[in-house]
Amino acid sequence: QVQVLESGGTLVQAGGSLRLSCTTSGLTFKAYTMGWFRQAPGKEREAVSCIGWSGPSTYVADSVEGRFTISRDNAKNTLYLQMNSLKPEDTAMYYCAAQVNYRMRGCRDPNFGDYWGQGTQVTVSS
């Protein structure tokens, strides 16, 4: 049984930093492209960043370029998102997704992801 679990979300002041983690089990982690996505209330889901099995990132949204960094530790089956210089507009539920490498859907493909987590809430106060 595949499990994808995000953690690290919390309330933070603007300008602050957070690191999100996504741990997986039940899948061969290095065989999956991983991604972070977010959805704010009343808005569509947005791709934040994706990373192939060996890194570096394959996609970074313009809205977070230079502030967010995606990384992965294949030995720990864990994906990370380091978020710096947070802004109120970064407030959203953040989701982790795993897509098997051969599927070749890009990060912005609406059908990206074979497995999804339940999300972790990030709230940035002004």
Side-chain angles (χ1 to χ4, degrees):
Q1 182 179 358
V2 174
Q3 291 188 322
V4 178
L5 182 63
E6 303 94 337
S7 63
T10 190
L11 171 65
V12 63
Q13 287 190 332
S17 297
L18 277 179
R19 188 176 81 156
L20 304 183
S21 298
C22 170
T23 57
T24 68
S25 61
L27 55 77
T28 303
F29 187 69
K30 65 181 180 181
Y32 285 77
T33 295
M34 301 296 297
W36 285 102
F37 300 78
R38 67 185 182 184
Q39 188 166 20
K43 294 188 177 181
E44 292 187 353
R45 189 184 76 195
E46 174 188 19
V48 175
S49 188
C50 287
I51 186 168
W53 74 274
S54 63
S57 62
T58 59
Y59 171 77
V60 181
D62 290 343
S63 57
V64 306
E65 177 74 52
R67 299 188 298 122
F68 291 11
T69 303
I70 191 171
S71 63
R72 63 190 292 165
D73 186 333
N74 289 338
K76 295 182 178 179
N77 295 340
T78 302
L79 177 74
Y80 302 100
L81 185 69
Q82 178 66 42
M83 304 187 295
N84 299 327
S85 302
L86 282 160
K87 305 175 180 179
E89 51 262 44
D90 294 320
T91 295
M93 185 71 79
Y94 283 71
Y95 298 92
C96 171
Q99 176 173 278
V100 65
N101 288 334
Y102 68 75
R103 210 176 294 286
M104 302 298 287
R105 294 185 193 126
C107 197
R108 289 179 291 176
D109 188 314
N111 294 313
F112 181 97
D114 297 304
Y115 302 101
W116 289 82
Q118 294 299 306
T120 186
Q121 178 67 39
V122 173
T123 303
V124 184
S125 64
S126 57

